[in-house]
Amino acid sequence: MTTKHFNPRAKHHFAGRTCSIAGVGSYVPERILTNADLEKLVDTSDEWITTRTGIKERRIAAAGELTSDLATKAALRAMEMAGVTAEQIDLIIVASITPDMPFPNTACLVQQKIGARRIPSFDIEAACSGFIYALEVGQQFIQSHTYETVLVIGAEKLSAITNWKDRNTCVLFGDGAGAAVLRHRAAAGGLLTTVLGADGAKAELLSMPAGGSACPATAESVAQGLHFLRMDGKETFKNAVQAMCSAAKEALRRCQIDIKQIKCIIPHQANRRIIDAVGERLEATPEQLFVNLHKYGNTSAASVAIALDEAVREGRVQHGDLILIVAFGAGLTWGAAVIEW
Ligand code: ACO
């Protein structure tokens, strides 16, 4: 199926060239933390976690394994699929809420680890929507002919900001990274549209209060657990379903594509019930929804990037198929993208 004539950017918004995903890759740490393991840490059960979230296990990075290491491994796999060398990369964008450190940015560290040239490298932070935000930013440089090859990565070591004594959150998250190499390819439609949004009025639903300039690290901030991720689960759940549905619908509307034409929907992997509710409201079939949440939990900015890589490598999408990616996260932020593979 070719959808080039749907491309709203080519038609209405700009005169630039199209941007394709030339390769994807992902990496998750070796260590598996199962629900049974968590039963030994907090007052929870495999039954509660499975029925409330759909998560069975998650990956946890080793002590010396950094977000930039996970990002580097995912990037090298994406570069291999795309057939590009480090020398050919013109720009690196890393999306993460768990950078190695506040500065230097993780993209600079990845630049050095993959052996790229002294190319521009920067991070963006849009929590679980980060990869879609990064895709949108990256594609602008391709479309405008500024760069030929852009490396976009979503990478997280959420285990580093997880309160392992808080059963409300510690069962939900995991570590991992996913990457995509963006290029112009004349024979592919590529990114047909991207919808992004945010609502700062609901910033308090999901946050890590300390560690920034508002609350620098002190003995008290550490004692109060302010350096851990906090979440109002119920409110986040409601907002996630609503925002993901409206972003997905807007992306489809802009491309004049019916949900039935989408081969694979890749939703942010936060909660099976959120994914099912979004699928139902979009009138998608269960077969269209890609789910790997049971293996990795919520890996925030890495989530849809890892899922996209797995969907491609499992043969769930073929050349010319339409993919809908949709995510939601702290900020609040959300995003959706329609891609012709
Ligand atoms: N084990 C056992 N019981 C638990 C656990 C646990 N791990 N966690 C919470 N509970 C208890 C609660 O204490 C509560 O008990 P109470 O009624 O006695 O107070 C009870 O279970 C019910 O809790 P709820 O909050 O009502 O459970 P809910 O059905 O809402 O599920 C969950 C909670 C899984 C967190 C859900 O709300 C959710 O997935 N929210 C969205 C998360 C999300 O989408 N995040 C995306 C962004 S993440 C980012 O940007 C970094």
Side-chain angles (χ1 to χ4, degrees), residues 134-296:
L135 274 183
E136 166 72 358
V137 173
Q139 75 162 342
Q140 302 289 340
F141 290 100
I142 302 287
Q143 288 171 342
S144 63
H145 295 254
T146 309
Y147 298 124
E148 293 304 314
T149 308
V150 175
L151 176 60
V152 171
I153 307 167
E156 301 286 8
K157 185 174 173 178
L158 292 169
S159 58
I161 60 163
T162 298
N163 181 351
W164 293 103
K165 291 179 180 157
D166 175 15
R167 69 175 184 175
N168 291 294
T169 52
C170 78
V171 302
L172 303 174
F173 300 102
D175 301 335
V181 174
L182 307 184
R183 302 192 106 179
H184 166 68
R185 280 192 306 187
L191 276 152
L192 301 186
T193 198
T194 312
V195 173
L196 302 178
D199 181 3
K202 292 178 179 163
E204 287 194 354
L205 289 184
L206 260 165
S207 67
M208 189 176 97
S213 56
C215 182
T218 60
E220 290 77 39
S221 70
V222 173
Q224 289 169 23
L226 299 178
H227 299 266
F228 294 128
L229 180 155
R230 293 179 168 199
M231 177 171 73
D232 176 340
K234 262 197 194 333
E235 273 309 303
T236 303
F237 190 110
K238 280 187 240 161
N239 280 278
V241 174
Q242 195 277 326
M244 286 167 76
C245 286
S246 58
K249 283 180 182 168
E250 175 60 13
L252 293 171
R253 191 195 63 75
R254 281 193 203 171
C255 300
Q256 297 153 38
I257 286 171
D258 188 90
I259 190 75
K260 292 187 182 69
Q261 293 172 265
I262 299 288
K263 180 71 189 303
C264 189
I265 302 169
I266 300 186
H268 173 45
Q269 310 283 313
N271 186 314
R272 180 73 216 212
R273 291 183 294 137
I274 293 176
I275 293 174
D276 290 343
V278 170
E280 214 168 283
R281 289 186 190 195
L282 293 178
E283 297 181 19
T285 62
E287 295 71 38
Q288 284 174 291
L289 291 166
F290 187 85
V291 180
N292 64 4
L293 168 87
H294 51 290
K295 295 189 288 184
Y296 309 129

Side-chain angles (χ1 to χ4, degrees), residues 91-104:
L91 169 70
I92 302 172
I93 307 173
V94 172
S96 184
I97 56 168
T98 49
D100 288 10
M101 57 200 83
F103 66 89

Side-chain angles (χ1 to χ4, degrees), residues 4 11 15 27 37 40 47 58 67-69 71-72 78 128 144 164-165 169 174 193 211 235 274 279-280 311 320:
K4 248 176 253 129
K11 250 166 107 178
Y27 175 78
D37 295 330
K40 292 174 205 143
E47 197 269 334
R58 65 289 290 146
T67 297
S68 61
D69 295 321
T72 296
C128 307
S144 63
W164 293 103
K165 291 179 180 157
T169 52
T193 198
E235 273 309 303
I274 293 176
E280 214 168 283

